[in-house]
Coordinates of all heavy atoms in Angstrom, one line a residue:
C1 N 0.9 -1.2 0.0 CA 0.0 0.0 0.0 C 0.9 1.2 0.0 O 0.7 2.1 -0.8 CB -0.9 -0.1 1.2 SG -2.0 1.4 1.3
M2 N 1.9 1.3 0.9 CA 2.8 2.5 1.0 C 3.6 2.6 -0.2 O 4.0 3.6 -0.7 CB 3.6 2.4 2.3 CG 4.4 3.6 2.4 SD 3.5 5.1 2.6 CE 4.4 5.9 3.7
A3 N 4.2 1.4 -0.7 CA 5.0 1.3 -1.9 C 4.3 1.8 -3.1 O 4.8 2.5 -4.0 CB 5.6 -0.1 -2.1
L4 N 3.0 1.4 -3.2 CA 2.1 1.8 -4.4 C 2.0 3.4 -4.4 O 2.1 4.0 -5.4 CB 0.9 1.1 -4.3 CG -0.1 1.5 -5.5 CD1 0.5 1.0 -6.8 CD2 -1.5 0.8 -5.3
G5 N 1.8 4.0 -3.2 CA 1.7 5.4 -3.1 C 3.0 6.1 -3.5 O 2.9 7.1 -4.2
L6 N 4.1 5.6 -3.2 CA 5.4 6.2 -3.6 C 5.6 6.1 -5.1 O 6.1 7.0 -5.6 CB 6.5 5.6 -2.7 CG 6.6 5.9 -1.3 CD1 7.7 5.2 -0.6 CD2 6.7 7.4 -1.0
A7 N 5.2 4.9 -5.6 CA 5.4 4.8 -7.0 C 4.5 5.7 -7.8 O 4.9 6.3 -8.9 CB 5.0 3.3 -7.4
Q8 N 3.3 6.0 -7.3 CA 2.5 6.9 -8.0 C 3.0 8.4 -8.0 O 2.9 9.1 -8.9 CB 1.0 6.8 -7.4 CG 0.3 5.6 -7.8 CD -1.1 5.5 -7.0 OE1 -1.3 6.3 -6.1 NE2 -2.0 4.6 -7.5
V9 N 3.5 8.7 -6.8 CA 4.1 10.0 -6.6 C 5.4 10.2 -7.5 O 5.5 11.2 -8.1 CB 4.5 10.3 -5.1 CG1 5.3 11.5 -5.0 CG2 3.3 10.4 -4.2
A10 N 6.3 9.2 -7.5 CA 7.4 9.2 -8.4 C 7.0 9.2 -9.9 O 7.6 10.0 -10.6 CB 8.3 8.0 -8.1
S11 N 6.0 8.5 -10.2 CA 5.5 8.5 -11.7 C 4.9 9.9 -12.0 O 5.2 10.4 -13.1 CB 4.5 7.4 -11.8 OG 4.0 7.5 -13.2
A12 N 4.1 10.5 -11.2 CA 3.6 11.8 -11.4 C 4.7 12.9 -11.5 O 4.6 13.8 -12.2 CB 2.6 12.1 -10.3
H13 N 5.8 12.7 -10.7 CA 6.8 13.6 -10.7 C 7.7 13.5 -12.0 O 8.1 14.5 -12.5 CB 7.7 13.5 -9.4 CG 8.9 14.4 -9.4 ND1 8.8 15.8 -9.4 CD2 10.3 14.2 -9.5 CE1 10.0 16.3 -9.3 NE2 10.9 15.4 -9.5
L14 N 8.0 12.3 -12.3 CA 8.8 12.1 -13.5 C 8.2 12.3 -14.9 O 8.7 12.7 -15.9 CB 9.4 10.6 -13.6 CG 10.4 10.3 -12.4 CD1 10.8 8.9 -12.4 CD2 11.6 11.3 -12.5
F15 N 6.8 12.0 -14.9 CA 6.0 12.1 -16.1 C 4.8 12.9 -15.9 O 3.6 12.5 -15.7 CB 5.6 10.7 -16.6 CG 6.7 9.8 -16.8 CD1 6.9 8.7 -15.9 CD2 7.6 9.9 -17.9 CE1 8.0 7.8 -16.2 CE2 8.6 9.1 -18.0 CZ 8.9 8.1 -17.2
P16 N 4.9 14.3 -15.6 CA 3.8 15.1 -15.4 C 2.8 15.1 -16.6 O 3.1 15.0 -17.7 CB 4.3 16.5 -15.2 CG 5.7 16.4 -15.9 CD 6.1 15.0 -15.9
Q17 N 1.5 15.1 -16.2 CA 0.4 15.2 -17.3 C 0.5 16.7 -18.0 O 0.7 17.7 -17.3 CB -0.9 15.0 -16.6 CG -1.1 13.6 -16.0 CD -1.0 12.6 -17.1 OE1 -1.6 12.7 -18.2 NE2 -0.3 11.5 -16.8
P18 N 0.3 16.7 -19.2 CA 0.4 18.1 -19.9 C -0.8 18.8 -19.5 O -1.9 18.4 -19.5 CB 0.4 17.6 -21.3 CG -0.3 16.2 -21.4 CD 0.1 15.5 -20.2
N19 N -0.5 20.0 -19.1 CA -1.6 21.0 -18.9 C -2.1 21.7 -20.1 O -1.5 21.6 -21.2 CB -1.2 22.1 -17.8 CG -0.8 21.4 -16.5 OD1 -1.3 20.4 -16.1 ND2 0.1 22.0 -15.9
A20 N -3.2 22.3 -20.1 CA -3.7 23.1 -21.1 C -2.8 24.2 -21.4 O -2.3 24.9 -20.5 CB -5.1 23.5 -20.9
M21 N -2.6 24.6 -22.7 CA -1.7 25.7 -23.0 C -2.4 27.0 -22.6 O -3.6 27.3 -22.9 CB -1.4 25.8 -24.5 CG -0.6 24.7 -25.1 SD 1.1 24.8 -24.6 CE 1.6 26.3 -25.3
Q22 N -1.6 27.8 -21.8 CA -2.2 29.1 -21.3 C -1.2 30.2 -21.5 O 0.0 30.0 -21.5 CB -2.4 29.0 -19.8 CG -3.5 28.0 -19.4 CD -3.7 28.0 -17.8 OE1 -3.0 28.5 -17.1 NE2 -4.8 27.3 -17.5
N23 N -1.7 31.4 -21.8 CA -0.9 32.6 -22.1 C -0.8 33.3 -20.8 O -1.1 32.8 -19.7 CB -1.6 33.5 -23.1 CG -2.8 34.0 -22.8 OD1 -3.4 33.9 -21.6 ND2 -3.5 34.6 -23.7
E24 N -0.1 34.4 -20.7 CA 0.2 35.1 -19.5 C -1.0 35.6 -18.7 O -1.0 35.6 -17.5 CB 1.0 36.5 -19.8 CG 2.4 36.2 -20.4 CD 2.4 35.9 -21.9 OE1 1.4 36.3 -22.5 OE2 3.3 35.2 -22.3
E25 N -2.2 35.8 -19.4 CA -3.3 36.2 -18.7 C -4.2 35.0 -18.2 O -5.2 35.1 -17.5 CB -4.3 36.9 -19.6 CG -3.8 38.3 -20.1 CD -2.9 38.2 -21.2 OE1 -3.1 37.4 -22.1 OE2 -2.0 39.1 -21.3
G26 N -3.7 33.7 -18.5 CA -4.4 32.6 -18.0 C -5.4 32.0 -18.9 O -6.1 31.1 -18.7
K27 N -5.5 32.6 -20.1 CA -6.5 32.2 -21.1 C -5.9 30.9 -21.7 O -4.7 30.8 -22.0 CB -6.7 33.2 -22.2 CG -7.6 34.4 -21.7 CD -7.8 35.4 -22.8 CE -8.7 34.9 -23.9 NZ -9.0 35.8 -24.9
V28 N -6.8 30.0 -22.0 CA -6.4 28.7 -22.7 C -6.3 29.0 -24.2 O -7.1 29.5 -24.8 CB -7.4 27.6 -22.4 CG1 -7.0 26.3 -23.2 CG2 -7.6 27.3 -21.0
V29 N -5.1 28.6 -24.7 CA -4.8 28.8 -26.1 C -4.4 27.4 -26.7 O -3.8 26.7 -26.1 CB -3.7 29.9 -26.4 CG1 -4.1 31.3 -26.0 CG2 -2.4 29.5 -25.6
D30 N -4.7 27.3 -28.0 CA -4.4 26.0 -28.6 C -3.2 26.2 -29.5 O -2.9 27.2 -30.1 CB -5.6 25.5 -29.4 CG -6.8 25.0 -28.7 OD1 -6.4 24.5 -27.5 OD2 -7.9 25.2 -29.0
L31 N -2.5 25.1 -29.7 CA -1.4 25.1 -30.7 C -1.8 25.1 -32.1 O -1.2 25.6 -33.0 CB -0.4 24.0 -30.4 CG 0.3 24.0 -29.1 CD1 1.1 22.8 -28.9 CD2 1.2 25.3 -29.0
Y32 N -2.9 24.4 -32.4 CA -3.4 24.2 -33.8 C -4.5 25.3 -34.0 O -5.5 25.4 -33.3 CB -4.0 22.8 -33.9 CG -4.7 22.7 -35.2 CD1 -4.0 22.6 -36.4 CD2 -6.0 22.7 -35.4 CE1 -4.5 22.5 -37.7 CE2 -6.7 22.4 -36.6 CZ -5.9 22.4 -37.7 OH -6.5 22.3 -39.0
L33 N -4.2 26.1 -35.1 CA -5.4 27.0 -35.5 C -5.7 26.6 -37.0 O -4.9 26.5 -37.8 CB -4.7 28.5 -35.5 CG -4.3 29.0 -34.3 CD1 -3.6 30.4 -34.4 CD2 -5.5 29.2 -33.4
P34 N -6.9 26.2 -37.1 CA -7.4 25.7 -38.5 C -7.3 26.9 -39.5 O -7.6 28.1 -39.1 CB -8.8 25.3 -38.2 CG -9.2 25.9 -37.0 CD -8.0 26.2 -36.2
R35 N -6.9 26.6 -40.7 CA -6.9 27.6 -41.7 C -8.2 27.4 -42.6 O -8.8 26.5 -42.6 CB -5.7 27.3 -42.7 CG -4.3 27.4 -42.0 CD -3.2 27.2 -43.0 NE -3.3 25.8 -43.3 CZ -2.6 25.2 -44.4 NH1 -1.8 26.1 -45.1 NH2 -2.7 24.0 -44.6
K36 N -8.5 28.5 -43.3 CA -9.5 28.6 -44.2 C -9.0 28.8 -45.6 O -8.1 29.6 -45.8 CB -10.5 29.6 -43.9 CG -11.3 29.4 -42.6 CD -12.3 30.5 -42.2 CE -13.5 30.5 -43.2 NZ -14.5 31.4 -42.7
C37 N -9.6 28.2 -46.6 CA -9.3 28.4 -48.0 C -9.6 29.9 -48.4 O -10.7 30.4 -48.1 CB -10.0 27.5 -48.9 SG -9.7 27.7 -50.7
S38 N -8.7 30.6 -48.9 CA -8.9 32.0 -49.3 C -9.9 32.2 -50.4 O -10.6 33.2 -50.5 CB -7.6 32.7 -49.7 OG -6.7 32.6 -48.6
A39 N -10.1 31.2 -51.2 CA -11.0 31.3 -52.4 C -12.4 30.9 -52.0 O -13.3 31.5 -52.4 CB -10.4 30.4 -53.5
T40 N -12.6 29.8 -51.2 CA -13.9 29.3 -50.9 C -14.4 29.5 -49.5 O -15.5 29.2 -49.2 CB -13.9 27.7 -51.2 OG1 -12.9 27.1 -50.3 CG2 -13.5 27.5 -52.6
N41 N -13.5 29.9 -48.6 CA -13.8 30.1 -47.2 C -14.1 28.8 -46.5 O -14.7 28.8 -45.4 CB -14.9 31.1 -46.9 CG -14.4 32.5 -47.1 OD1 -13.2 32.8 -46.9 ND2 -15.3 33.4 -47.5
R42 N -13.8 27.6 -47.1 CA -13.9 26.3 -46.4 C -12.8 26.1 -45.5 O -11.7 26.4 -45.7 CB -14.0 25.2 -47.4 CG -15.2 25.3 -48.3 CD -15.2 24.1 -49.2 NE -16.5 24.1 -50.0 CZ -16.7 23.1 -50.9 NH1 -15.8 22.2 -51.1 NH2 -17.8 23.1 -51.6
L43 N -13.0 25.3 -44.4 CA -11.9 25.0 -43.5 C -11.0 24.0 -44.2 O -11.5 23.1 -44.9 CB -12.5 24.3 -42.2 CG -13.0 25.4 -41.2 CD1 -13.6 24.5 -40.0 CD2 -12.0 26.3 -40.7
I44 N -9.7 24.1 -43.9 CA -8.7 23.2 -44.4 C -8.4 22.2 -43.3 O -7.9 22.7 -42.2 CB -7.5 23.9 -44.9 CG1 -7.8 24.8 -46.1 CG2 -6.3 22.9 -45.3 CD1 -6.6 25.7 -46.6
Q45 N -8.7 21.0 -43.5 CA -8.4 20.0 -42.4 C -7.0 19.8 -42.2 O -6.1 20.1 -43.0 CB -9.1 18.6 -42.9 CG -10.5 18.6 -43.2 CD -11.3 18.8 -41.9 OE1 -11.0 18.3 -40.9 NE2 -12.4 19.6 -42.1
A46 N -6.6 19.4 -41.0 CA -5.2 19.3 -40.5 C -4.5 18.2 -41.4 O -3.4 18.3 -41.6 CB -5.2 18.9 -39.0
K47 N -5.2 17.2 -41.7 CA -4.7 16.1 -42.5 C -4.7 16.3 -44.0 O -4.3 15.4 -44.7 CB -5.4 14.7 -42.1 CG -5.2 14.3 -40.7 CD -3.8 13.8 -40.4 CE -3.8 13.3 -39.0 NZ -2.5 12.7 -38.8
E48 N -5.1 17.4 -44.5 CA -5.1 17.7 -46.0 C -3.7 18.1 -46.4 O -3.2 19.2 -46.1 CB -6.2 18.7 -46.3 CG -6.2 19.0 -47.8 CD -7.3 20.0 -48.2 OE1 -8.2 20.3 -47.4 OE2 -7.3 20.3 -49.3
H49 N -3.1 17.2 -47.1 CA -1.7 17.4 -47.5 C -1.5 18.2 -48.9 O -0.5 18.5 -49.3 CB -0.9 16.2 -47.6 CG -0.8 15.5 -46.2 ND1 -0.1 16.0 -45.2 CD2 -1.4 14.4 -45.7 CE1 -0.2 15.2 -44.1 NE2 -1.0 14.2 -44.4
A50 N -2.7 18.3 -49.6 CA -2.7 18.9 -50.9 C -2.8 20.4 -50.8 O -2.7 21.2 -51.8 CB -3.8 18.3 -51.8
A51 N -3.2 20.9 -49.7 CA -3.4 22.4 -49.5 C -2.0 23.1 -49.4 O -1.1 22.5 -49.0 CB -4.2 22.6 -48.2
V52 N -2.1 24.3 -49.9 CA -0.9 25.2 -49.9 C -1.1 26.5 -49.2 O -2.3 27.0 -49.2 CB -0.2 25.5 -51.4 CG1 0.2 24.1 -51.9 CG2 -1.3 26.1 -52.1
Q53 N -0.1 27.1 -48.7 CA -0.2 28.5 -48.1 C 0.9 29.3 -48.8 O 2.1 28.9 -48.8 CB 0.0 28.4 -46.7 CG -0.1 29.9 -45.9 CD -0.2 29.8 -44.5 OE1 -0.9 28.9 -43.9 NE2 0.5 30.6 -43.8
I54 N 0.5 30.5 -49.3 CA 1.5 31.3 -49.9 C 1.6 32.7 -49.2 O 0.5 33.3 -48.9 CB 1.2 31.6 -51.4 CG1 1.2 30.2 -52.2 CG2 2.1 32.5 -52.0 CD1 0.8 30.3 -53.6
N55 N 2.8 33.1 -48.8 CA 3.1 34.4 -48.2 C 3.7 35.3 -49.2 O 4.7 35.0 -49.7 CB 3.9 34.3 -47.0 CG 3.2 33.4 -45.9 OD1 2.1 33.5 -45.6 ND2 4.1 32.7 -45.2
V56 N 3.0 36.4 -49.6 CA 3.4 37.4 -50.5 C 3.9 38.6 -49.8 O 3.2 39.2 -49.1 CB 2.3 37.7 -51.6 CG1 2.8 38.7 -52.6 CG2 1.8 36.5 -52.2
A57 N 5.1 39.0 -50.1 CA 5.8 40.1 -49.4 C 5.4 41.4 -50.1 O 5.4 41.4 -51.3 CB 7.3 39.9 -49.4
Q58 N 5.2 42.4 -49.4 CA 4.9 43.8 -49.9 C 6.3 44.4 -50.1 O 7.1 44.4 -49.2 CB 4.0 44.6 -49.0 CG 3.7 46.0 -49.5 CD 2.7 45.8 -50.7 OE1 1.9 44.9 -50.8 NE2 2.7 46.9 -51.5
V59 N 6.6 45.1 -51.2 CA 7.9 45.8 -51.5 C 7.6 47.2 -51.9 O 6.5 47.5 -52.3 CB 8.7 45.1 -52.6 CG1 9.1 43.7 -52.1 CG2 8.0 45.0 -53.9
D60 N 8.6 48.1 -51.7 CA 8.5 49.4 -52.1 C 9.0 49.7 -53.5 O 9.2 48.7 -54.1 CB 9.3 50.3 -51.0 CG 10.9 50.0 -51.0 OD1 11.3 49.3 -51.9 OD2 11.5 50.6 -50.1
E61 N 9.1 50.9 -53.9 CA 9.5 51.2 -55.3 C 10.9 50.6 -55.7 O 11.1 50.4 -56.8 CB 9.5 52.7 -55.5 CG 8.1 53.3 -55.5 CD 7.6 53.6 -54.0 OE1 8.5 53.7 -53.2 OE2 6.4 53.6 -53.8
Q62 N 11.8 50.6 -54.7 CA 13.1 50.0 -54.9 C 13.2 48.5 -54.9 O 14.2 48.0 -55.0 CB 14.1 50.6 -53.9 CG 14.5 52.1 -54.2 CD 13.4 53.0 -53.7 OE1 12.7 52.8 -52.7 NE2 13.2 54.2 -54.3
G63 N 12.1 47.9 -54.5 CA 12.1 46.4 -54.5 C 12.5 45.9 -53.1 O 12.8 44.7 -53.0
R64 N 12.5 46.8 -52.0 CA 12.9 46.3 -50.7 C 11.7 45.8 -49.9 O 10.6 46.5 -50.0 CB 13.6 47.4 -50.0 CG 15.1 47.7 -50.6 CD 15.8 48.8 -49.8 NE 15.0 50.0 -50.2 CZ 15.5 51.2 -50.0 NH1 16.7 51.3 -49.5 NH2 14.8 52.3 -50.3
F65 N 11.8 44.9 -49.1 CA 10.8 44.3 -48.3 C 10.3 45.3 -47.2 O 11.2 45.9 -46.6 CB 11.3 43.1 -47.6 CG 10.3 42.5 -46.7 CD1 9.0 42.1 -47.1 CD2 10.6 42.2 -45.4 CE1 8.1 41.5 -46.3 CE2 9.7 41.6 -44.6 CZ 8.5 41.2 -45.0
T66 N 9.0 45.7 -47.2 CA 8.6 46.7 -46.2 C 8.1 46.1 -44.9 O 7.8 46.8 -44.0 CB 7.3 47.4 -46.8 OG1 6.3 46.3 -47.0 CG2 7.6 48.1 -48.1
G67 N 8.2 44.8 -44.8 CA 7.8 44.2 -43.5 C 6.4 43.7 -43.5 O 5.9 43.0 -42.5
E68 N 5.6 43.9 -44.6 CA 4.2 43.5 -44.6 C 4.1 42.4 -45.6 O 4.7 42.3 -46.6 CB 3.4 44.7 -45.1 CG 1.8 44.4 -45.2 CD 1.1 45.6 -45.7 OE1 1.6 46.6 -46.1 OE2 -0.2 45.5 -45.7
T69 N 3.3 41.3 -45.2 CA 3.0 40.1 -46.0 C 1.6 40.0 -46.1 O 0.8 40.3 -45.2 CB 3.7 38.9 -45.4 OG1 3.2 38.7 -44.1 CG2 5.2 39.1 -45.3
F70 N 1.1 39.3 -47.2 CA -0.2 38.9 -47.4 C -0.2 37.4 -47.4 O 0.6 36.8 -48.1 CB -0.8 39.4 -48.7 CG -0.9 40.9 -48.7 CD1 0.1 41.7 -49.4 CD2 -1.9 41.6 -48.1 CE1 0.0 43.0 -49.4 CE2 -2.0 42.9 -48.1 CZ -1.1 43.7 -48.7
T71 N -1.0 36.7 -46.6 CA -1.1 35.2 -46.5 C -2.4 34.7 -47.3 O -3.5 35.2 -47.0 CB -1.1 34.8 -45.2 OG1 0.1 35.3 -44.5 CG2 -1.1 33.3 -45.1
F72 N -2.1 33.8 -48.2 CA -3.2 33.2 -48.9 C -3.1 31.6 -48.8 O -2.0 31.1 -48.9 CB -3.1 33.5 -50.5 CG -3.1 35.0 -50.7 CD1 -2.0 35.7 -50.9 CD2 -4.4 35.6 -50.8 CE1 -2.0 37.0 -51.2 CE2 -4.4 37.0 -51.1 CZ -3.2 37.6 -51.3
A73 N -4.3 31.0 -48.4 CA -4.2 29.5 -48.3 C -5.3 29.0 -49.4 O -6.3 29.6 -49.6 CB -4.7 29.1 -46.9
M74 N -4.8 27.9 -50.0 CA -5.7 27.3 -51.1 C -5.9 25.8 -50.7 O -4.9 25.1 -50.5 CB -4.9 27.4 -52.4 CG -5.8 27.1 -53.6 SD -7.2 28.2 -53.9 CE -6.5 29.7 -54.1
S75 N -7.1 25.4 -50.7 CA -7.4 24.0 -50.4 C -7.0 23.1 -51.6 O -6.9 23.5 -52.7 CB -8.9 23.8 -50.2 OG -9.7 24.1 -51.3
G76 N -6.8 21.8 -51.2 CA -6.5 20.9 -52.2 C -7.5 20.6 -53.2 O -7.3 20.3 -54.3
Y77 N -8.8 20.8 -52.8 CA -9.9 20.7 -53.7 C -9.8 21.7 -54.9 O -10.0 21.3 -56.0 CB -11.3 20.8 -52.9 CG -12.5 20.9 -53.9 CD1 -12.9 19.7 -54.4 CD2 -13.1 22.1 -54.2 CE1 -14.1 19.7 -55.2 CE2 -14.2 22.1 -55.0 CZ -14.7 20.9 -55.6 OH -15.7 21.0 -56.4
M78 N -9.6 22.9 -54.6 CA -9.4 23.9 -55.7 C -8.3 23.6 -56.5 O -8.3 23.8 -57.7 CB -9.2 25.3 -55.0 CG -10.4 25.9 -54.3 SD -11.7 26.2 -55.4 CE -11.2 27.6 -56.3
R79 N -7.1 23.2 -56.0 CA -6.0 22.8 -56.7 C -6.2 21.6 -57.7 O -5.9 21.6 -58.8 CB -4.8 22.5 -55.9 CG -4.4 23.7 -55.0 CD -3.2 23.4 -54.2 NE -2.0 23.1 -55.0 CZ -1.1 22.2 -54.8 NH1 -1.1 21.4 -53.7 NH2 -0.1 21.9 -55.6
Q80 N -7.1 20.7 -57.1 CA -7.4 19.4 -57.9 C -8.3 19.7 -59.1 O -8.2 19.1 -60.2 CB -8.0 18.3 -57.0 CG -8.3 17.1 -57.7 CD -8.9 16.0 -56.7 OE1 -9.5 16.4 -55.7 NE2 -8.9 14.8 -57.1
Q81 N -9.2 20.7 -58.9 CA -10.1 21.1 -59.9 C -9.5 22.0 -61.0 O -10.1 22.3 -62.0 CB -11.4 21.9 -59.3 CG -12.2 21.0 -58.4 CD -12.8 19.8 -59.0 OE1 -13.2 19.9 -60.1 NE2 -12.7 18.7 -58.4
G82 N -8.3 22.4 -60.8 CA -7.5 23.2 -61.7 C -8.0 24.7 -61.6 O -7.8 25.5 -62.5
E83 N -8.6 25.2 -60.5 CA -9.1 26.5 -60.4 C -8.2 27.4 -59.5 O -8.5 28.5 -59.3 CB -10.5 26.5 -59.7 CG -11.5 25.7 -60.6 CD -11.9 26.5 -61.9 OE1 -11.8 27.8 -61.8 OE2 -12.1 25.8 -62.9
A84 N -7.1 26.8 -59.0 CA -6.2 27.6 -58.0 C -5.6 28.8 -58.7 O -5.5 29.8 -58.1 CB -5.2 26.6 -57.4
D85 N -5.0 28.6 -59.9 CA -4.4 29.7 -60.7 C -5.4 30.9 -60.8 O -5.0 32.0 -60.5 CB -3.8 29.2 -61.9 CG -3.1 30.3 -62.7 OD1 -2.2 30.9 -61.9 OD2 -3.2 30.5 -63.9
L86 N -6.5 30.6 -61.3 CA -7.5 31.7 -61.4 C -7.9 32.3 -60.1 O -8.0 33.5 -60.0 CB -8.8 31.1 -62.1 CG -9.9 32.0 -62.4 CD1 -9.5 33.1 -63.4 CD2 -11.1 31.3 -62.9
A87 N -8.1 31.5 -59.1 CA -8.5 32.0 -57.7 C -7.3 32.8 -57.2 O -7.6 33.9 -56.6 CB -8.8 30.9 -56.8
F88 N -6.0 32.5 -57.4 CA -4.9 33.3 -56.8 C -4.9 34.6 -57.6 O -4.6 35.6 -57.0 CB -3.6 32.5 -57.0 CG -3.2 31.6 -55.8 CD1 -2.9 30.3 -56.1 CD2 -3.3 32.1 -54.5 CE1 -2.6 29.4 -55.0 CE2 -3.0 31.2 -53.5 CZ -2.7 29.9 -53.7
N89 N -5.1 34.6 -58.9 CA -5.1 35.8 -59.7 C -6.2 36.7 -59.2 O -5.9 37.9 -59.0 CB -5.3 35.5 -61.2 CG -4.0 35.1 -61.8 OD1 -2.9 35.2 -61.3 ND2 -4.2 34.4 -62.9
R90 N -7.4 36.3 -58.8 CA -8.5 37.1 -58.3 C -8.1 37.7 -57.1 O -8.3 38.8 -56.8 CB -9.8 36.2 -58.3 CG -10.9 37.0 -57.7 CD -12.2 36.2 -57.6 NE -12.0 35.0 -56.7 CZ -12.1 34.9 -55.5 NH1 -12.4 36.1 -54.8 NH2 -12.0 33.8 -54.8
L91 N -7.6 36.8 -56.1 CA -7.2 37.3 -54.8 C -6.1 38.3 -54.8 O -6.1 39.3 -54.1 CB -6.7 36.1 -53.9 CG -7.8 35.1 -53.6 CD1 -7.3 33.7 -53.0 CD2 -8.8 35.6 -52.6
F92 N -5.1 38.1 -55.7 CA -4.0 39.1 -55.8 C -4.5 40.5 -56.4 O -4.1 41.5 -56.0 CB -2.9 38.5 -56.7 CG -2.1 37.4 -56.2 CD1 -1.4 36.5 -57.1 CD2 -2.2 37.0 -54.9 CE1 -0.7 35.4 -56.6 CE2 -1.5 35.9 -54.3 CZ -0.8 35.1 -55.2
F93 N -5.5 40.3 -57.3 CA -6.0 41.6 -57.9 C -6.8 42.4 -56.8 O -6.7 43.6 -56.7 CB -6.9 41.2 -59.1 CG -7.5 42.4 -59.7 CD1 -6.8 43.3 -60.6 CD2 -8.8 42.7 -59.5 CE1 -7.4 44.3 -61.1 CE2 -9.5 43.7 -60.1 CZ -8.8 44.6 -60.9
E94 N -7.6 41.6 -56.0 CA -8.4 42.2 -55.0 C -7.5 42.9 -53.9 O -7.9 43.9 -53.4 CB -9.3 41.2 -54.3 CG -10.4 40.7 -55.1 CD -11.2 39.6 -54.5 OE1 -10.8 39.1 -53.4 OE2 -12.1 39.1 -55.1
K95 N -6.3 42.4 -53.7 CA -5.3 43.0 -52.8 C -4.5 44.0 -53.4 O -3.7 44.8 -52.7 CB -4.4 42.0 -52.1 CG -5.1 41.0 -51.2 CD -5.5 41.6 -49.9 CE -6.0 40.6 -48.9 NZ -6.3 41.1 -47.6
G96 N -4.6 44.3 -54.7 CA -3.8 45.2 -55.4 C -2.4 44.8 -55.7 O -1.6 45.6 -55.9
L97 N -2.2 43.5 -55.6 CA -0.8 43.0 -55.9 C -0.6 42.6 -57.4 O 0.5 42.4 -57.8 CB -0.6 41.7 -55.1 CG -0.7 41.9 -53.6 CD1 -0.6 40.5 -52.8 CD2 0.4 42.8 -53.1
L98 N -1.7 42.6 -58.2 CA -1.6 42.2 -59.6 C -2.6 43.1 -60.4 O -3.7 43.5 -59.9 CB -2.1 40.7 -59.7 CG -2.1 40.1 -61.1 CD1 -0.7 40.0 -61.6 CD2 -2.8 38.8 -61.0
T99 N -2.1 43.6 -61.5 CA -2.9 44.4 -62.4 C -2.9 43.7 -63.7 O -2.1 42.9 -64.1 CB -2.3 45.8 -62.6 OG1 -1.0 45.6 -63.1 CG2 -2.3 46.6 -61.3
F100 N -4.0 44.0 -64.5 CA -4.3 43.3 -65.7 C -4.2 44.3 -66.8 O -4.5 44.0 -68.0 CB -5.6 42.6 -65.8 CG -5.7 41.5 -64.9 CD1 -6.5 41.5 -63.7 CD2 -5.0 40.3 -65.1 CE1 -6.6 40.5 -62.9 CE2 -5.1 39.2 -64.2 CZ -5.9 39.3 -63.0
S101 N -3.6 45.5 -66.6 CA -3.5 46.5 -67.6 C -2.3 46.2 -68.6 O -1.3 45.7 -68.1 CB -3.3 47.9 -67.0 OG -2.2 48.0 -66.3
K102 N -2.4 46.6 -69.8 CA -1.3 46.4 -70.8 C -0.4 47.6 -70.8 O -0.5 48.7 -70.6 CB -1.9 46.1 -72.1 CG -2.6 44.8 -72.1 CD -3.2 44.5 -73.4 CE -3.9 43.2 -73.5 NZ -4.3 42.8 -74.8

């Protein structure tokens, strides 16, 4: 009985149970944040390996990085349908990153 109690205490000390992730204010925060497809607003599942995320950097007139980026996520479904290129062009145009003038 006493030996079992010591073993449980030693086990709890050596292998502590993981606590919930908390920030400085004590709010519970998760490590996983689900992404949404930028074109369809559908959630991208954690196990979807065909999805991509592209970070586009904002540059000034001299071509230097300004510190601002735009993040776009595309689901594997859009890529499989062959609509990803058209969707990226539309998203870039909406953000002012792409123009279609000649």
Side-chain angles (χ1 to χ4, degrees):
C1 178
M2 182 62 142
L4 182 61
L6 290 176
Q8 289 174 343
V9 169
S11 175
H13 177 66
L14 294 175
F15 306 105
Q17 295 296 320
N19 295 333
M21 291 291 298
Q22 295 180 350
N23 61 9
E24 293 81 25
E25 292 85 32
K27 287 179 70 175
V28 176
V29 294
D30 290 326
L31 293 177
Y32 174 70
L33 296 173
R35 296 180 296 165
K36 289 177 78 174
C37 177
S38 298
T40 62
N41 285 332
R42 291 182 179 182
L43 281 179
I44 298 175
Q45 300 292 325
K47 296 287 185 175
E48 183 176 348
H49 298 293
V52 294
Q53 179 172 319
I54 297 177
N55 296 324
V56 180
Q58 185 71 27
V59 295
D60 61 9
E61 293 80 23
Q62 288 79 29
R64 290 180 290 199
F65 179 55
T66 62
E68 183 180 4
T69 60
F70 297 100
T71 303
F72 302 97
M74 190 65 59
S75 66
Y77 173 77
M78 291 293 289
R79 296 182 66 218
Q80 185 179 17
Q81 297 299 316
E83 299 291 327
D85 187 45
L86 179 65
F88 275 128
N89 284 340
R90 178 181 58 83
L91 292 167
F92 295 159
F93 180 75
E94 289 173 358
K95 291 285 186 180
L97 300 171
L98 179 68
T99 58
F100 295 108
S101 62
K102 292 183 180 182

